[in-house]
Amino acid sequence: MRRSALALLALLLAAPAFAQTKSPAPPGGVPQAVPLPGIGSFDPRAPVSMGEAPWTSIGVVQTQGGGRCTGTLIAPDRVLTAAHCLLLLRTGDFTHPRGVSFLLGYERGRFRARGSVIGYQAGPGYDPALRGPGREDWAILTLSQPIRGVALPLLDRPAAPRTPLVLGGYQQDQPEVLLADTGCRLLDLRGGLLLHDCAGTRGASGAPLLVRQGSGWAVAGIASRVAADMALGQAVAVEMVRPALP
């Protein structure tokens, strides 16, 4: 595989807020509201058409342990996601590759293609015990067989400030549909960090930050984890490995 020096880290600047769901009712009681992070009263995210670019390249990464993140097809047999999505909650270790699968074009229980993972490569400096550093929180999954879909390229250099961006992922407050903020921008580059104003919340881990490239799209970064007590998020893509394409 060839390395592509993509030193990009992004911070989601969505205001903390909470969506609500209900937990099972206690004996003799009523269901209790359980806060789930949302975006707030002003939410620029909206569901998108899974039959249109660039959403045809995105799907759900799921693990045997019940974890779900967003992944992007970057080659017929390669999927880009966040490294922490591959950790076992019980032990904090990386899960076995065969316990991971990718559902391309997922929407309300349906998907266009399913890929089984046979291996993956995480950021070389990523430490599962520390869940970081953030700049290494990426992983490229290798599928057992190529799947039909439109692969998106990785940017070969950081985008310039004020570049229009798009962030789309499967987020915790509406996990059955792909939500996207299509009207955000890159704000600044700081020490290898890419700051932007795209809206997102928990559950968007691995979601791609996308930019226009010619008549198509390219991946500028991916969403990383969110602190447990915050409705803010991060997006990261650093020292990404560019797969050797056929």
Side-chain angles (χ1 to χ4, degrees), residues 1-243:
M1 289 188 177
R2 301 170 306 201
R3 290 190 176 277
S4 175
L6 262 173
L8 305 176
L9 176 68
L11 174 65
L12 300 179
L13 302 178
F18 295 94
Q20 297 215 327
T21 186
K22 292 184 178 180
S23 64
V30 297
Q32 301 296 308
V34 176
L36 291 177
I39 297 300
S41 56
F42 175 71
D43 187 349
R45 302 172 305 161
V48 295
S49 172
M50 299 305 294
E52 298 178 0
W55 319 120
T56 49
S57 308
I58 300 174
V60 168
V61 174
Q62 63 180 21
T63 66
Q64 282 183 333
R68 281 173 46 125
C69 287
T70 304
T72 305
L73 199 67
I74 58 171
D77 62 346
R78 299 288 192 275
V79 175
L80 177 65
T81 190
H84 78 266
C85 295
L86 306 175
L87 299 181
L88 295 168
L89 295 179
R90 183 173 57 85
T91 64
D93 297 326
F94 280 113
T95 187
H96 192 279
R98 295 197 180 276
V100 185
S101 59
F102 176 62
L103 307 178
L104 179 66
Y106 180 88
E107 186 172 38
R108 296 184 174 91
R110 299 174 178 268
F111 48 90
R112 291 200 308 278
R114 183 183 189 277
S116 298
V117 176
I118 57 173
Y120 53 75
Q121 179 175 357
Y126 188 80
D127 185 342
L130 301 176
R131 292 208 166 202
R135 65 181 178 273
E136 303 287 359
D137 187 12
W138 58 265
I140 293 179
L141 315 178
T142 300
L143 305 180
S144 60
Q145 294 183 346
I147 59 178
R148 296 182 64 181
V150 180
L152 295 180
L154 308 179
L155 281 184
D156 57 4
R157 62 180 60 85
R162 299 198 62 77
T163 296
L165 298 175
V166 169
L167 175 67
Y170 296 91
Q171 302 177 43
Q172 186 171 329
D173 53 339
Q174 296 189 55
E176 292 299 303
V177 296
L178 186 68
L179 296 177
D181 182 351
T182 60
C184 47
R185 289 180 179 275
L186 190 157
L187 300 178
D188 198 7
L189 297 170
R190 298 179 187 173
L193 307 186
L194 185 159
L195 305 182
H196 66 84
D197 61 357
C198 300
T201 187
R202 296 179 195 170
S205 295
L209 275 167
L210 302 170
V211 299
R212 284 280 189 183
Q213 188 174 64
S215 60
W217 296 85
V219 179
I222 60 171
S224 181
R225 64 188 175 91
V226 183
D229 59 347
M230 298 177 66
L232 295 177
Q234 289 184 327
V236 59
V238 181
E239 281 296 305
M240 281 199 218
V241 175
R242 183 181 297 277

